[in-house]
Amino acid sequence: MPLYPSGSPAARTRAERFDALVLEALEPIEERWSAELADLDVAVDDVPEVPSGGLRSPVEDDAVLGDGEVPLARLVPAGMDRRGAVTRARIVLYRRPLEARALDGEDLADLLHDVLVEQVAGYLGVEPDTISGDEG
C-alpha cells in the first residue's frame, strides 16, 4: 500500500517534481516571449551525455551552461537529425547536476529560473536582463 495517495504532490517522484519546477520557472518567460519561443522546445535529461572522446569543458562550448566542469543545461540549435529529419531548437536541462547544486527546493526553483533565462537569452541573442525583465 502506498504511503501517500497517488494524486498527492508527496507521491510524485523526484523527476516529476523537477519537471513541475521547470514548468513553473518557464511560465513567466513564456508569457512574455511566447511568439519568439514558438519554435523552441525545453527538455529534461537526468545527466549530460558524455561523448565517446571524453567530456569537453563546458566553457569550450557556448551552447552549454555549466558550473565549473559540470554541464547544467545545453542549447541545441535547430538542424537535422541522423535520418535527415528537421529538428527544432531546444534547451536541455540536466536534472541531477541542477539538483546537486541546489541547497533546497526554493534554491532549485531560483536556479532553474536563472538557467532558463540564460539559455533563452542565448537562443534569442539578447542579454539575460532583457529576458528576466531586469533591464535598467
Side-chain angles (χ1 to χ4, degrees):
M1 182 167 160
L3 197 54
Y4 300 101
S6 63
S8 75
R12 288 196 225 164
T13 65
R14 285 177 69 176
E16 289 169 334
R17 289 190 300 270
F18 186 87
D19 290 349
L21 283 174
V22 168
L23 292 174
E24 192 176 302
L26 189 58
E27 187 176 1
I29 298 169
E30 279 189 328
E31 282 178 10
R32 186 165 183 216
W33 298 94
S34 61
E36 294 85 351
L37 301 180
D39 294 326
L40 177 70
D41 294 330
V42 176
V44 174
D45 280 347
D46 280 340
V47 293
E49 275 186 40
V50 177
S52 57
L55 188 61
R56 288 182 0 177
S57 170
V59 295
E60 295 177 30
D61 188 342
D62 290 341
V64 175
L65 179 63
D67 178 24
E69 295 292 315
V70 180
L72 301 176
R74 174 183 294 274
L75 176 60
V76 180
M80 293 212 171
D81 67 13
R82 292 180 208 141
R83 297 176 303 241
V86 175
T87 61
R88 291 166 45 106
R90 72 186 177 282
I91 294 170
V92 181
L93 301 167
Y94 300 118
R95 180 176 67 86
R96 287 190 168 174
L98 286 160
E99 286 177 336
R101 188 168 186 264
L103 302 173
D104 55 30
E106 187 176 327
D107 191 42
L108 180 57
D110 290 343
L111 178 59
L112 282 170
H113 172 78
D114 293 347
V115 166
L116 284 167
V117 164
E118 289 281 335
Q119 294 295 78
V120 168
Y123 172 72
L124 295 177
V126 299
E127 290 297 316
D129 289 349
T130 303
I131 301 301
S132 63
D134 294 338
E135 53 198 337

